[in-house]
Amino acid sequence: TFNIAVQYATNPSITCPSNSTVALSSSCTYFLPYLSSSAVFSDNCTPVGTLTYAKTPLAGTTLTEGTQTVQLTVRDEANNSATCSYQLTVADQSMPMITCPGNQNITVDSDCNATLSNYTGDVTVSDNCSSLAQLTLTQSPAAGTVISANTQITITATDQAGNAGSCNFFALVIDNSTPTITCPSSYNVPASPSCDYLVPDMSSIAVYNDNCPSALNFGQNPPAGTTITSGPISILMTVNDGNGNNATCVTLLTPTD
């Protein structure tokens, strides 16, 4: 009698996943998992559940940013093996975290203009991989821009991988300048045969101005069109710039026959 030894000489079959890119974590690391679920293994004799697997680098290895060749090896019960490899790119895909200050007041000058400051130093910013010194902060509109109305400011933080995060706030223009108004001390209006008269529109008689003239509002008391039955009357004229700044003057309105 004699024994026949059966040897399995067929290598297992292995198909690696396609080259892929994975994201670094919030701590700028990536832990290589034990086995990619997209890898495919088989063998002619050994059940898939009893095949042994190996990965290089080892599962659990901490990878940093860059491209790594990952090699997978499968071995059957007869010690036949097969190997494949793929490229795993570890990338920083997280945008920086940035918080802007609240809205900023900015005072206009005598020409109703204000110049934007550099607000990049007022933001709070962090990133999973780039240090504060490695982050690039930009402001739009840029520091030095002249504005005359409320303007939204956007601060953008860009990390070394090109990921960008941004936040917004408003530069609120503040006008603290008082308008000017000049009235004649007196103004004559014709009286009717019954000696009454109408208060005229005094907006063209008074001279008024402001550093932000487009926002000026003119008012008078008594208003134009009021009937005065007899005698002179004082007209109070007021200009308001819409920012709480007012100026007044008074003209004596006198009827003439």
Side-chain angles (χ1 to χ4, degrees):
T1 63
F2 59 91
N3 294 324
I4 298 176
V6 178
Q7 294 184 335
Y8 304 115
T10 302
N11 291 331
S13 171
I14 181 171
T15 302
C16 273
S18 302
N19 296 339
S20 60
T21 299
V22 293
L24 288 162
S25 69
S26 59
S27 58
C28 200
T29 56
Y30 176 78
F31 295 100
L32 195 63
Y34 174 67
L35 188 64
S36 173
S37 60
S38 56
V40 178
F41 311 92
S42 65
D43 189 67
N44 63 329
C45 294
T46 303
V48 171
T50 57
L51 292 171
T52 59
Y53 313 100
K55 175 180 281 190
T56 304
L58 294 175
T61 299
T62 300
L63 301 181
T64 56
E65 191 171 9
T67 299
Q68 175 79 48
T69 298
V70 179
Q71 180 175 288
L72 300 178
T73 300
V74 61
R75 192 176 301 275
D76 64 17
E77 291 177 322
N79 206 34
N80 302 305
S81 64
T83 300
C84 68
S85 63
Y86 65 99
Q87 299 294 307
L88 183 67
T89 300
V90 181
D92 175 13
Q93 298 178 339
S94 299
M95 68 178 63
M97 301 295 292
I98 182 170
T99 303
C100 276
N103 294 336
Q104 302 291 300
N105 293 337
I106 181 170
T107 302
V108 296
D109 59 19
S110 59
D111 295 320
C112 199
N113 293 323
T115 302
L116 292 179
S117 300
N118 185 350
Y119 297 107
T120 57
D122 298 328
V123 301
T124 301
V125 62
S126 63
D127 188 65
N128 62 329
C129 293
S130 299
S131 67
L132 292 179
Q134 293 169 329
L135 293 173
T136 301
L137 296 177
T138 56
Q139 173 179 312
S140 179
T145 300
V146 176
I147 64 172
S148 58
N150 295 342
T151 301
Q152 180 172 276
I153 310 296
T154 300
I155 307 292
T156 301
T158 305
D159 64 19
Q160 289 184 305
N163 304 304
S166 61
C167 60
N168 305 292
F169 63 96
F170 278 90
L172 304 177
V173 295
I174 303 298
D175 177 16
N176 292 322
S177 299
T178 302
T180 61
I181 184 169
T182 303
C183 304
S185 58
S186 63
Y187 188 76
N188 295 331
V189 293
S192 70
S194 58
C195 289
D196 60 12
Y197 59 97
L198 296 177
V199 174
D201 181 356
M202 303 292 287
S203 61
S204 60
I205 298 168
V207 177
Y208 46 92
N209 204 352
D210 188 58
N211 63 327
C212 302
S214 62
L216 273 181
N217 297 303
F218 176 87
Q220 66 179 70
N221 188 34
T226 300
T227 299
I228 306 300
T229 56
S230 64
I233 188 172
S234 294
I235 305 297
L236 175 65
M237 285 167 273
T238 303
V239 286
N240 182 295
D241 65 2
N243 293 299
N245 304 304
N246 304 303
T248 61
C249 64
V250 176
T251 293
L252 183 66
L253 199 62
T254 303
T256 59
D257 291 334

